[in-house]
Amino acid sequence: MAATVDALTYALPAMELVYERGTPQFRGQWPVLEQLLAVAAPQPGIGDWADPYLYLPGTGEPVSGAWPHVVTPPNVTLPKDTDGQLEAGILHDNPDGRLRAMDAAGVDVQLITPGPSIDACITLPANLAAGVLGAYNRYVATYCEADSQRLKAIVQVHGAEPHWSAREIRELAGDPSVAGVAICLPVKLAPDAENYAPIWRAVQETGLPVVQRPGFAAAIWTPRRLLSYLRQSGVLDRYPELRFAFTGFGTDWLDDAVAGLARERISVTVTGHEPAEEAARVVDVVGKESVLWGSTFPYCEGSYVSTQDLGGTWPGLREEVTQGTPAR
């Protein structure tokens, strides 16, 4: 039986935890960043902290008015009646609690996506954003040390800092928890072969999939637009080992966007709540092995839908994990 791989789950680290993992240079920039931070209100029952904490607001999110502010990742809503369902700190510094929640749900592997503080880096100067992303990368790798075969980290890099991004990818690719790369795509720098050459080379050399999500790219870079541009600019031909996973975008964009691409180059997430005919269409377009489940854990009301019909796997997982028998 294939493992249940949940490819859209969240960590929401307090910026205090990100600061702890930052380089001396990043800590030197903290006074600048600190002026941009707001205070978050913990949400009971979804693994949040018990006390208010600092976060970096996203684009268009108000920081005035009622204090402190509720923080949720883009495009998700808080579940109802969750008080007491999940242990405190799962979103921040309690990976053992997350593993217990996964055991209870029958989930083998989670790919961990960061929350609003990281997506908000698209609004920062690129060098400051790189400091935040680098600190987050060390934080999440440490978080995943609790079980690096089941908790998988996605490295966060920035398209406007291609040389830094390439070094970051190569440095972290050997970590046993690292399972992909997310690229912040600003609107003013096209992700073609010239501008992004160091990033595309590093991704291909390390074999890590590129994991794109809403909120970490300018609105123009939808999955359809991104794949079309990479095809027309020659990136997909020049780097034939590049693979992409699109999490949280839905599936209505798939048909023409992936036409002509090898199935193993594209993975997508579904929620398990799609109509049967839509699920069948997605499988027909990309293949059953390329369909992954995205729960938006822990914003999924603490429960998982049945995934026995989803056959998706993820590169770099141990053989015993992909067979559905991970060490507990």
Side-chain angles (χ1 to χ4, degrees), residues 210-223:
V210 176
V211 184
Q212 290 303 123
R213 63 183 184 275
F216 204 49
I220 188 176
W221 297 120
T222 63

Side-chain angles (χ1 to χ4, degrees), residues 15-303:
M15 285 300 291
E16 294 94 320
L17 297 175
V18 174
Y19 173 82
E20 290 175 3
R21 293 291 170 180
T23 64
Q25 181 181 8
F26 169 68
R27 293 187 178 192
Q29 294 176 306
W30 183 257
V32 176
L33 185 64
E34 195 171 27
Q35 298 177 41
L36 306 175
L37 300 180
V39 179
Q43 299 300 305
I46 61 168
D48 213 346
W49 266 0
D51 299 315
Y53 54 91
L54 296 175
Y55 77 106
L56 182 63
T59 304
E61 184 175 353
V63 294
S64 60
W67 178 95
H69 304 285
V70 173
V71 178
T72 56
N75 304 316
V76 302
T77 57
L78 287 172
K80 300 176 182 178
D81 303 323
T82 59
D83 190 29
Q85 287 191 5
L86 296 176
E87 297 177 33
I90 286 175
L91 281 166
H92 301 273
D93 59 357
N94 183 10
D96 291 329
R98 180 182 286 258
L99 289 165
R100 287 187 283 270
M102 291 166 60
D103 287 339
V107 170
D108 300 291
V109 179
Q110 284 189 346
L111 274 63
I112 297 177
T113 295
S117 281
I118 301 306
D119 286 348
C121 284
I122 197 170
T123 67
L124 298 177
N127 62 336
L128 183 57
V132 176
L133 299 179
Y136 169 82
N137 290 338
R138 274 78 190 165
Y139 152 79
V140 74
T142 301
Y143 181 96
C144 291
E145 287 176 356
D147 190 333
S148 60
Q149 298 301 327
R150 299 184 65 197
L151 301 178
K152 291 296 182 179
I154 306 300
V155 173
Q156 312 293 305
V157 299
H158 201 292
E161 291 284 342
H163 296 287
W164 171 84
S165 295
R167 290 194 301 271
E168 192 80 349
I169 293 166
R170 291 191 174 96
E171 180 178 338
L172 294 171
D175 188 293
S177 73
V178 170
V181 176
I183 307 172
C184 182
L185 300 174
V187 69
K188 295 182 179 180
L189 187 67
D192 56 26
E194 181 177 355
N195 292 335
Y196 277 50
I199 297 176
W200 297 137
R201 283 197 298 267
V203 170
Q204 176 152 290
E205 289 170 10
T206 58
L208 293 172
V210 176
V211 184
Q212 290 303 123
R213 63 183 184 275
F216 204 49
I220 188 176
W221 297 120
T222 63
R224 180 183 283 110
R225 180 69 64 85
L226 178 61
L227 288 174
S228 175
Y229 184 84
L230 294 179
R231 192 196 304 261
Q232 293 175 12
S233 63
V235 170
L236 294 181
D237 290 334
R238 187 173 299 184
Y239 302 96
E241 304 300 318
L242 288 185
R243 293 166 295 163
F244 293 84
F246 294 95
T247 63
F249 286 99
T251 55
D252 59 356
W253 54 271
L254 270 172
D255 294 285
D256 56 340
V258 302
L261 294 178
R263 284 184 165 189
E264 61 269 18
R265 298 190 75 173
I266 304 295
S267 295
V268 295
T269 56
V270 297
T271 66
H273 298 295
E274 291 85 357
E277 59 272 18
E278 175 62 10
R281 184 187 73 84
V282 173
V283 169
D284 185 58
V285 172
V286 299
K288 188 174 181 179
E289 67 281 356
S290 296
V291 182
L292 295 158
W293 186 44
S295 73
T296 67
F297 175 91
Y299 303 95
C300 55
E301 299 188 358
S303 63

